[in-house]
Amino acid sequence: KLRVFADLAADNNKSMTQALVMDGLSTKHYTTAINEHGRSRQWRCALNLGSLVQTSHLVPDVIIYNATNSSCEKSWQWQRALSLLSTVQAADLEPTGITYSAAISACEKFGKWQRAITLSSMIQEAQLDLNIITSSAVISACGKSGRW
């Protein structure tokens, strides 16, 4: 059932997808499908699924946004990753360390060191832990730009 759902999302066949949604798919199903697309670097499909959550009468949670954000990061879509972070904040959801980490990693891939540093400051302001992976991504972004 989940594989068919993910395949339909890839085809962007909304009427079939909506029929499946009415068949009892939960936010967990969406998150799993989004993660599948992220692993195969199909960020557009992940974004489509993220958008379908709202049309399915489910309330998107930070976990769905994190999965979508991670899909963008893995596909080198740093601007979309930052946009999703803003969407999480606008939806009055609390960004997690994972939310910030995916955005920082996306910035790191393009050497966007200033944004990476800003995001790491936001992690500290939110009183979240800045883990070794995220710290390394910030350092790497600075290094790629000759700022370290």
Side-chain angles (χ1 to χ4, degrees), residues 17-75:
T17 304
Q18 287 171 344
L20 285 171
V21 168
M22 293 168 33
D23 195 33
L25 291 175
S26 67
T27 55
K28 184 176 180 179
H29 291 107
Y30 279 96
T31 302
T32 302
I34 289 167
N35 283 329
E36 275 297 309
H37 288 296
R39 278 191 279 284
S40 58
R41 291 177 174 57
Q42 297 176 344
W43 62 271
R44 285 185 180 95
C45 296
L47 286 175
N48 285 343
L49 284 168
S51 296
L52 287 172
V53 171
Q54 294 175 330
T55 62
S56 69
H57 306 293
L58 294 171
V59 178
D61 57 15
V62 73
I63 297 169
I64 285 178
Y65 284 113
N66 286 350
T68 308
N69 202 358
S70 182
S71 296
C72 290
E73 176 266 323
K74 288 174 184 159
S75 300

Tab-separated table of all heavy atoms in Angstrom, residues 17-75:
chain	number	residue	atom	x	y	z
A	17	THR	N	-3.987	9.585	-5.413
A	17	THR	CA	-3.357	9.756	-4.109
A	17	THR	C	-4.404	10.134	-3.071
A	17	THR	O	-4.408	9.612	-1.968
A	17	THR	CB	-2.258	10.836	-4.175
A	17	THR	OG1	-1.333	10.467	-5.184
A	17	THR	CG2	-1.543	10.955	-2.851
A	18	GLN	N	-5.323	11.014	-3.436
A	18	GLN	CA	-6.371	11.403	-2.495
A	18	GLN	C	-7.259	10.216	-2.148
A	18	GLN	O	-7.701	10.076	-1.013
A	18	GLN	CB	-7.177	12.563	-3.063
A	18	GLN	CG	-6.394	13.859	-3.025
A	18	GLN	CD	-7.074	14.988	-3.761
A	18	GLN	OE1	-7.985	14.782	-4.544
A	18	GLN	NE2	-6.608	16.201	-3.517
A	19	ALA	N	-7.489	9.329	-3.109
A	19	ALA	CA	-8.272	8.127	-2.819
A	19	ALA	C	-7.532	7.263	-1.801
A	19	ALA	O	-8.138	6.715	-0.887
A	19	ALA	CB	-8.527	7.344	-4.097
A	20	LEU	N	-6.222	7.156	-1.945
A	20	LEU	CA	-5.444	6.385	-0.990
A	20	LEU	C	-5.436	7.044	0.382
A	20	LEU	O	-5.462	6.367	1.398
A	20	LEU	CB	-4.011	6.216	-1.484
A	20	LEU	CG	-3.821	5.205	-2.604
A	20	LEU	CD1	-2.407	5.287	-3.154
A	20	LEU	CD2	-4.115	3.802	-2.122
A	21	VAL	N	-5.410	8.374	0.395
A	21	VAL	CA	-5.426	9.092	1.665
A	21	VAL	C	-6.695	8.757	2.431
A	21	VAL	O	-6.673	8.518	3.629
A	21	VAL	CB	-5.309	10.615	1.429
A	21	VAL	CG1	-5.612	11.385	2.694
A	21	VAL	CG2	-3.920	10.952	0.931
A	22	MET	N	-7.801	8.703	1.719
A	22	MET	CA	-9.073	8.398	2.371
A	22	MET	C	-9.101	6.947	2.850
A	22	MET	O	-9.928	6.561	3.635
A	22	MET	CB	-10.223	8.696	1.417
A	22	MET	CG	-10.339	10.190	1.153
A	22	MET	SD	-11.404	10.740	-0.188
A	22	MET	CE	-12.712	9.608	-0.248
A	23	ASP	N	-8.145	6.133	2.384
A	23	ASP	CA	-8.071	4.746	2.771
A	23	ASP	C	-7.262	4.555	4.052
A	23	ASP	O	-6.823	3.465	4.354
A	23	ASP	CB	-7.480	3.941	1.613
A	23	ASP	CG	-7.682	2.447	1.769
A	23	ASP	OD1	-8.710	2.034	2.334
A	23	ASP	OD2	-6.795	1.708	1.332
A	24	GLY	N	-7.002	5.627	4.784
A	24	GLY	CA	-6.426	5.500	6.111
A	24	GLY	C	-4.936	5.733	6.247
A	24	GLY	O	-4.343	5.268	7.214
A	25	LEU	N	-4.302	6.431	5.324
A	25	LEU	CA	-2.889	6.728	5.492
A	25	LEU	C	-2.715	7.802	6.568
A	25	LEU	O	-3.491	8.735	6.669
A	25	LEU	CB	-2.262	7.199	4.183
A	25	LEU	CG	-2.132	6.131	3.103
A	25	LEU	CD1	-1.611	6.736	1.819
A	25	LEU	CD2	-1.240	5.000	3.555
A	26	SER	N	-1.674	7.641	7.357
A	26	SER	CA	-1.408	8.571	8.450
A	26	SER	C	-0.174	9.406	8.133
A	26	SER	O	0.491	9.205	7.115
A	26	SER	CB	-1.164	7.772	9.739
A	26	SER	OG	0.046	7.045	9.616
A	27	THR	N	0.136	10.318	9.033
A	27	THR	CA	1.341	11.119	8.860
A	27	THR	C	2.582	10.219	8.863
A	27	THR	O	3.564	10.523	8.188
A	27	THR	CB	1.475	12.198	9.953
A	27	THR	OG1	1.418	11.566	11.238
A	27	THR	CG2	0.394	13.248	9.837
A	28	LYS	N	2.532	9.118	9.574
A	28	LYS	CA	3.659	8.178	9.587
A	28	LYS	C	3.881	7.596	8.185
A	28	LYS	O	5.020	7.433	7.745
A	28	LYS	CB	3.408	7.062	10.605
A	28	LYS	CG	4.567	6.115	10.744
A	28	LYS	CD	4.314	5.081	11.820
A	28	LYS	CE	5.503	4.138	11.921
A	28	LYS	NZ	5.313	3.141	12.956
A	29	HIS	N	2.794	7.271	7.478
A	29	HIS	CA	2.917	6.769	6.112
A	29	HIS	C	3.569	7.816	5.209
A	29	HIS	O	4.439	7.499	4.403
A	29	HIS	CB	1.544	6.387	5.542
A	29	HIS	CG	0.937	5.198	6.191
A	29	HIS	ND1	-0.128	5.298	7.049
A	29	HIS	CD2	1.251	3.882	6.116
A	29	HIS	CE1	-0.456	4.097	7.469
A	29	HIS	NE2	0.364	3.217	6.921
A	30	TYR	N	3.113	9.063	5.354
A	30	TYR	CA	3.696	10.142	4.558
A	30	TYR	C	5.187	10.294	4.849
A	30	TYR	O	6.000	10.421	3.941
A	30	TYR	CB	2.999	11.476	4.852
A	30	TYR	CG	1.700	11.660	4.120
A	30	TYR	CD1	0.490	11.350	4.716
A	30	TYR	CD2	1.683	12.181	2.834
A	30	TYR	CE1	-0.708	11.542	4.043
A	30	TYR	CE2	0.489	12.382	2.152
A	30	TYR	CZ	-0.704	12.053	2.769
A	30	TYR	OH	-1.876	12.243	2.096
A	31	THR	N	5.538	10.287	6.125
A	31	THR	CA	6.933	10.456	6.512
A	31	THR	C	7.794	9.346	5.925
A	31	THR	O	8.886	9.602	5.402
A	31	THR	CB	7.065	10.483	8.053
A	31	THR	OG1	6.258	11.547	8.561
A	31	THR	CG2	8.503	10.683	8.479
A	32	THR	N	7.311	8.123	5.983
A	32	THR	CA	8.050	6.991	5.427
A	32	THR	C	8.251	7.154	3.929
A	32	THR	O	9.357	6.944	3.408
A	32	THR	CB	7.316	5.669	5.727
A	32	THR	OG1	7.174	5.537	7.142
A	32	THR	CG2	8.062	4.477	5.170
A	33	ALA	N	7.197	7.550	3.221
A	33	ALA	CA	7.301	7.745	1.770
A	33	ALA	C	8.238	8.909	1.433
A	33	ALA	O	9.043	8.821	0.500
A	33	ALA	CB	5.914	7.982	1.178
A	34	ILE	N	8.162	9.988	2.200
A	34	ILE	CA	9.053	11.140	1.985
A	34	ILE	C	10.504	10.718	2.193
A	34	ILE	O	11.391	11.069	1.406
A	34	ILE	CB	8.670	12.315	2.911
A	34	ILE	CG1	7.338	12.925	2.453
A	34	ILE	CG2	9.761	13.379	2.937
A	34	ILE	CD1	6.714	13.875	3.458
A	35	ASN	N	10.761	9.943	3.239
A	35	ASN	CA	12.128	9.460	3.495
A	35	ASN	C	12.629	8.578	2.355
A	35	ASN	O	13.804	8.650	1.993
A	35	ASN	CB	12.199	8.712	4.827
A	35	ASN	CG	12.223	9.646	6.010
A	35	ASN	OD1	12.737	10.751	5.940
A	35	ASN	ND2	11.647	9.210	7.112
A	36	GLU	N	11.750	7.742	1.801
A	36	GLU	CA	12.127	6.898	0.657
A	36	GLU	C	12.575	7.762	-0.513
A	36	GLU	O	13.582	7.487	-1.146
A	36	GLU	CB	10.951	6.022	0.221
A	36	GLU	CG	10.814	4.741	0.975
A	36	GLU	CD	11.999	3.823	0.778
A	36	GLU	OE1	12.402	3.548	-0.379
A	36	GLU	OE2	12.552	3.377	1.797
A	37	HIS	N	11.816	8.798	-0.805
A	37	HIS	CA	12.176	9.688	-1.902
A	37	HIS	C	13.460	10.452	-1.586
A	37	HIS	O	14.264	10.712	-2.476
A	37	HIS	CB	11.038	10.649	-2.235
A	37	HIS	CG	9.899	9.969	-2.915
A	37	HIS	ND1	10.006	9.378	-4.150
A	37	HIS	CD2	8.617	9.761	-2.528
A	37	HIS	CE1	8.855	8.853	-4.503
A	37	HIS	NE2	7.995	9.065	-3.532
A	38	GLY	N	13.657	10.791	-0.341
A	38	GLY	CA	14.884	11.481	0.054
A	38	GLY	C	16.112	10.627	-0.165
A	38	GLY	O	17.131	11.106	-0.654
A	39	ARG	N	16.002	9.341	0.198
A	39	ARG	CA	17.136	8.439	0.005
A	39	ARG	C	17.511	8.307	-1.466
A	39	ARG	O	18.669	8.117	-1.803
A	39	ARG	CB	16.827	7.066	0.592
A	39	ARG	CG	17.051	7.004	2.087
A	39	ARG	CD	16.993	5.586	2.622
A	39	ARG	NE	15.634	5.098	2.825
A	39	ARG	CZ	14.852	5.444	3.835
A	39	ARG	NH1	15.279	6.307	4.732
A	39	ARG	NH2	13.649	4.952	3.965
A	40	SER	N	16.521	8.404	-2.349
A	40	SER	CA	16.812	8.287	-3.785
A	40	SER	C	16.941	9.656	-4.448
A	40	SER	O	16.926	9.758	-5.670
A	40	SER	CB	15.742	7.438	-4.469
A	40	SER	OG	14.465	7.999	-4.288
A	41	ARG	N	17.037	10.701	-3.622
A	41	ARG	CA	17.259	12.077	-4.079
A	41	ARG	C	16.152	12.584	-5.013
A	41	ARG	O	16.414	13.307	-5.962
A	41	ARG	CB	18.634	12.222	-4.716
A	41	ARG	CG	19.741	12.096	-3.690
A	41	ARG	CD	21.110	12.154	-4.273
A	41	ARG	NE	22.201	12.179	-3.336
A	41	ARG	CZ	22.474	11.285	-2.396
A	41	ARG	NH1	21.684	10.296	-2.195
A	41	ARG	NH2	23.538	11.386	-1.633
A	42	GLN	N	14.940	12.175	-4.739
A	42	GLN	CA	13.785	12.641	-5.501
A	42	GLN	C	13.070	13.726	-4.680
A	42	GLN	O	11.971	13.541	-4.182
A	42	GLN	CB	12.843	11.481	-5.812
A	42	GLN	CG	13.468	10.426	-6.688
A	42	GLN	CD	12.550	9.245	-6.894
A	42	GLN	OE1	11.579	9.061	-6.181
A	42	GLN	NE2	12.860	8.431	-7.879
A	43	TRP	N	13.716	14.888	-4.571
A	43	TRP	CA	13.222	15.945	-3.707
A	43	TRP	C	11.873	16.493	-4.175
A	43	TRP	O	11.051	16.884	-3.356
A	43	TRP	CB	14.258	17.052	-3.567
A	43	TRP	CG	14.607	17.752	-4.847
A	43	TRP	CD1	15.585	17.386	-5.731
A	43	TRP	CD2	13.990	18.914	-5.383
A	43	TRP	NE1	15.610	18.258	-6.792
A	43	TRP	CE2	14.637	19.203	-6.603
A	43	TRP	CE3	12.951	19.741	-4.953
A	43	TRP	CZ2	14.279	20.288	-7.394
A	43	TRP	CZ3	12.602	20.822	-5.740
A	43	TRP	CH2	13.258	21.090	-6.946
A	44	ARG	N	11.639	16.529	-5.465
A	44	ARG	CA	10.342	17.029	-5.945
A	44	ARG	C	9.196	16.139	-5.464
A	44	ARG	O	8.147	16.627	-5.067
A	44	ARG	CB	10.339	17.133	-7.466
A	44	ARG	CG	11.126	18.299	-7.991
A	44	ARG	CD	10.979	18.426	-9.520
A	44	ARG	NE	11.730	19.531	-10.027
A	44	ARG	CZ	12.960	19.450	-10.519
A	44	ARG	NH1	13.576	18.286	-10.570
A	44	ARG	NH2	13.574	20.521	-10.962
A	45	CYS	N	9.407	14.840	-5.525
A	45	CYS	CA	8.392	13.905	-5.034
A	45	CYS	C	8.175	14.083	-3.534
A	45	CYS	O	7.041	14.037	-3.055
A	45	CYS	CB	8.800	12.474	-5.342
A	45	CYS	SG	8.889	12.111	-7.091
A	46	ALA	N	9.271	14.280	-2.809
A	46	ALA	CA	9.163	14.511	-1.362
A	46	ALA	C	8.358	15.770	-1.081
A	46	ALA	O	7.488	15.785	-0.197
A	46	ALA	CB	10.552	14.604	-0.737
A	47	LEU	N	8.616	16.834	-1.839
A	47	LEU	CA	7.840	18.068	-1.661
A	47	LEU	C	6.373	17.859	-2.010
A	47	LEU	O	5.484	18.386	-1.327
A	47	LEU	CB	8.430	19.199	-2.516
A	47	LEU	CG	9.738	19.805	-2.024
A	47	LEU	CD1	10.259	20.823	-3.038
A	47	LEU	CD2	9.573	20.457	-0.667
A	48	ASN	N	6.101	17.087	-3.076
A	48	ASN	CA	4.706	16.792	-3.441
A	48	ASN	C	3.989	16.085	-2.298
A	48	ASN	O	2.854	16.430	-1.962
A	48	ASN	CB	4.643	15.922	-4.704
A	48	ASN	CG	4.944	16.696	-5.957
A	48	ASN	OD1	4.898	17.918	-5.981
A	48	ASN	ND2	5.282	15.977	-7.013
A	49	LEU	N	4.664	15.093	-1.726
A	49	LEU	CA	4.057	14.380	-0.607
A	49	LEU	C	3.835	15.299	0.585
A	49	LEU	O	2.795	15.239	1.243
A	49	LEU	CB	4.931	13.199	-0.190
A	49	LEU	CG	4.874	11.994	-1.113
A	49	LEU	CD1	5.990	11.019	-0.771
A	49	LEU	CD2	3.521	11.314	-1.009
A	50	GLY	N	4.811	16.152	0.865
A	50	GLY	CA	4.653	17.107	1.964
A	50	GLY	C	3.451	18.010	1.753
A	50	GLY	O	2.705	18.307	2.685
A	51	SER	N	3.233	18.426	0.512
A	51	SER	CA	2.074	19.275	0.200
A	51	SER	C	0.767	18.511	0.320
A	51	SER	O	-0.251	19.070	0.732
A	51	SER	CB	2.194	19.830	-1.229
A	51	SER	OG	3.307	20.659	-1.342
A	52	LEU	N	0.799	17.233	-0.040
A	52	LEU	CA	-0.421	16.431	0.014
A	52	LEU	C	-0.913	16.181	1.434
A	52	LEU	O	-2.081	15.899	1.645
A	52	LEU	CB	-0.215	15.097	-0.702
A	52	LEU	CG	-0.150	15.180	-2.223
A	52	LEU	CD1	0.256	13.834	-2.801
A	52	LEU	CD2	-1.474	15.641	-2.795
A	53	VAL	N	-0.020	16.279	2.399
A	53	VAL	CA	-0.427	16.078	3.794
A	53	VAL	C	-1.540	17.057	4.144
A	53	VAL	O	-2.553	16.683	4.734
A	53	VAL	CB	0.764	16.245	4.759
A	53	VAL	CG1	0.299	16.255	6.199
A	53	VAL	CG2	1.778	15.143	4.534
A	54	GLN	N	-1.362	18.306	3.756
A	54	GLN	CA	-2.352	19.319	4.099
A	54	GLN	C	-3.675	19.084	3.375
A	54	GLN	O	-4.736	19.307	3.940
A	54	GLN	CB	-1.810	20.708	3.795
A	54	GLN	CG	-0.640	21.050	4.692
A	54	GLN	CD	0.014	22.359	4.344
A	54	GLN	OE1	0.029	22.780	3.202
A	54	GLN	NE2	0.580	23.007	5.345
A	55	THR	N	-3.627	18.624	2.133
A	55	THR	CA	-4.869	18.380	1.402
A	55	THR	C	-5.552	17.101	1.847
A	55	THR	O	-6.694	16.861	1.488
A	55	THR	CB	-4.620	18.326	-0.124
A	55	THR	OG1	-3.730	17.247	-0.411
A	55	THR	CG2	-4.049	19.633	-0.628
A	56	SER	N	-4.861	16.285	2.633
A	56	SER	CA	-5.444	15.024	3.103
A	56	SER	C	-6.143	15.178	4.446
A	56	SER	O	-6.560	14.196	5.032
A	56	SER	CB	-4.352	13.965	3.222
A	56	SER	OG	-3.484	14.299	4.277
A	57	HIS	N	-6.241	16.401	4.917
A	57	HIS	CA	-6.884	16.706	6.199
A	57	HIS	C	-6.087	16.208	7.398
A	57	HIS	O	-6.637	16.036	8.483
A	57	HIS	CB	-8.321	16.180	6.244
A	57	HIS	CG	-9.157	16.658	5.110
A	57	HIS	ND1	-9.516	17.974	4.950
A	57	HIS	CD2	-9.656	16.007	4.037
A	57	HIS	CE1	-10.219	18.103	3.836
A	57	HIS	NE2	-10.316	16.928	3.262
A	58	LEU	N	-4.801	15.961	7.180
A	58	LEU	CA	-3.907	15.649	8.287
A	58	LEU	C	-3.145	16.922	8.640
A	58	LEU	O	-2.959	17.796	7.802
A	58	LEU	CB	-2.911	14.552	7.892
A	58	LEU	CG	-3.498	13.179	7.608
A	58	LEU	CD1	-2.433	12.257	7.016
A	58	LEU	CD2	-4.081	12.567	8.874
A	59	VAL	N	-2.706	17.007	9.857
A	59	VAL	CA	-1.935	18.170	10.285
A	59	VAL	C	-0.456	17.817	10.181
A	59	VAL	O	0.007	16.882	10.846
A	59	VAL	CB	-2.283	18.565	11.738
A	59	VAL	CG1	-1.442	19.744	12.191
A	59	VAL	CG2	-3.768	18.880	11.854
A	60	PRO	N	0.276	18.534	9.311
A	60	PRO	CA	1.699	18.227	9.210
A	60	PRO	C	2.419	18.552	10.512
A	60	PRO	O	2.172	19.580	11.123
A	60	PRO	CB	2.189	19.108	8.062
A	60	PRO	CG	1.134	20.116	7.825
A	60	PRO	CD	-0.129	19.630	8.450
A	61	ASP	N	3.276	17.640	10.925
A	61	ASP	CA	4.049	17.878	12.134
A	61	ASP	C	5.512	18.137	11.768
A	61	ASP	O	5.889	18.072	10.592
A	61	ASP	CB	3.916	16.709	13.114
A	61	ASP	CG	4.341	15.372	12.528
A	61	ASP	OD1	5.001	15.354	11.457
A	61	ASP	OD2	4.021	14.340	13.127
A	62	VAL	N	6.306	18.436	12.755
A	62	VAL	CA	7.708	18.769	12.503
A	62	VAL	C	8.457	17.576	11.917
A	62	VAL	O	9.402	17.745	11.143
A	62	VAL	CB	8.390	19.325	13.776
A	62	VAL	CG1	8.643	18.242	14.794
A	62	VAL	CG2	9.670	20.067	13.434
A	63	ILE	N	8.012	16.369	12.197
A	63	ILE	CA	8.677	15.175	11.665
A	63	ILE	C	8.515	15.100	10.150
A	63	ILE	O	9.464	14.778	9.430
A	63	ILE	CB	8.152	13.902	12.362
A	63	ILE	CG1	8.495	13.953	13.851
A	63	ILE	CG2	8.716	12.650	11.714
A	63	ILE	CD1	7.815	12.917	14.699
A	64	ILE	N	7.343	15.430	9.646
A	64	ILE	CA	7.130	15.455	8.192
A	64	ILE	C	7.993	16.538	7.558
A	64	ILE	O	8.635	16.314	6.527
A	64	ILE	CB	5.640	15.662	7.855
A	64	ILE	CG1	4.884	14.362	8.125
A	64	ILE	CG2	5.455	16.110	6.410
A	64	ILE	CD1	3.413	14.415	7.884
A	65	TYR	N	8.029	17.704	8.179
A	65	TYR	CA	8.877	18.780	7.656
A	65	TYR	C	10.359	18.380	7.701
A	65	TYR	O	11.108	18.675	6.775
A	65	TYR	CB	8.660	20.075	8.426
A	65	TYR	CG	7.382	20.782	8.060
A	65	TYR	CD1	6.340	20.903	8.968
A	65	TYR	CD2	7.208	21.352	6.796
A	65	TYR	CE1	5.163	21.551	8.635
A	65	TYR	CE2	6.039	22.002	6.453
A	65	TYR	CZ	5.015	22.103	7.372
A	65	TYR	OH	3.853	22.748	7.034
A	66	ASN	N	10.776	17.699	8.761
A	66	ASN	CA	12.167	17.262	8.854
A	66	ASN	C	12.512	16.281	7.736
A	66	ASN	O	13.583	16.366	7.132
A	66	ASN	CB	12.447	16.611	10.212
A	66	ASN	CG	12.527	17.602	11.339
A	66	ASN	OD1	12.556	18.814	11.122
A	66	ASN	ND2	12.543	17.106	12.557
A	67	ALA	N	11.605	15.346	7.463
A	67	ALA	CA	11.841	14.375	6.393
A	67	ALA	C	11.942	15.081	5.048
A	67	ALA	O	12.828	14.778	4.233
A	67	ALA	CB	10.723	13.331	6.374
A	68	THR	N	11.045	16.028	4.813
A	68	THR	CA	11.061	16.771	3.552
A	68	THR	C	12.325	17.615	3.458
A	68	THR	O	12.985	17.669	2.412
A	68	THR	CB	9.803	17.655	3.431
A	68	THR	OG1	8.640	16.839	3.660
A	68	THR	CG2	9.695	18.277	2.062
A	69	ASN	N	12.679	18.259	4.558
A	69	ASN	CA	13.880	19.091	4.604
A	69	ASN	C	15.125	18.245	4.341
A	69	ASN	O	16.014	18.635	3.577
A	69	ASN	CB	13.970	19.780	5.964
A	69	ASN	CG	14.811	21.020	5.948
A	69	ASN	OD1	15.383	21.396	4.940
A	69	ASN	ND2	14.887	21.682	7.083
A	70	SER	N	15.181	17.080	4.935
A	70	SER	CA	16.309	16.180	4.736
A	70	SER	C	16.391	15.725	3.278
A	70	SER	O	17.484	15.594	2.716
A	70	SER	CB	16.172	14.975	5.667
A	70	SER	OG	17.270	14.118	5.535
A	71	SER	N	15.245	15.501	2.650
A	71	SER	CA	15.226	15.131	1.234
A	71	SER	C	15.819	16.241	0.374
A	71	SER	O	16.573	15.971	-0.567
A	71	SER	CB	13.791	14.849	0.769
A	71	SER	OG	13.261	13.747	1.440
A	72	CYS	N	15.495	17.469	0.702
A	72	CYS	CA	16.058	18.608	-0.036
A	72	CYS	C	17.563	18.706	0.196
A	72	CYS	O	18.331	18.943	-0.737
A	72	CYS	CB	15.367	19.903	0.378
A	72	CYS	SG	13.655	19.994	-0.187
A	73	GLU	N	17.981	18.505	1.423
A	73	GLU	CA	19.414	18.572	1.745
A	73	GLU	C	20.189	17.510	0.973
A	73	GLU	O	21.232	17.787	0.393
A	73	GLU	CB	19.607	18.390	3.255
A	73	GLU	CG	21.057	18.345	3.695
A	73	GLU	CD	21.619	16.950	3.794
A	73	GLU	OE1	20.900	16.027	4.205
A	73	GLU	OE2	22.793	16.789	3.433
A	74	LYS	N	19.670	16.293	0.920
A	74	LYS	CA	20.358	15.208	0.222
A	74	LYS	C	20.425	15.460	-1.282
A	74	LYS	O	21.278	14.907	-1.967
A	74	LYS	CB	19.650	13.890	0.494
A	74	LYS	CG	19.848	13.393	1.901
A	74	LYS	CD	19.025	12.165	2.180
A	74	LYS	CE	19.191	11.779	3.641
A	74	LYS	NZ	18.108	10.941	4.123
A	75	SER	N	19.521	16.268	-1.779
A	75	SER	CA	19.467	16.570	-3.218
A	75	SER	C	20.111	17.907	-3.553
A	75	SER	O	19.913	18.439	-4.640
A	75	SER	CB	18.010	16.562	-3.689
A	75	SER	OG	17.424	15.308	-3.466
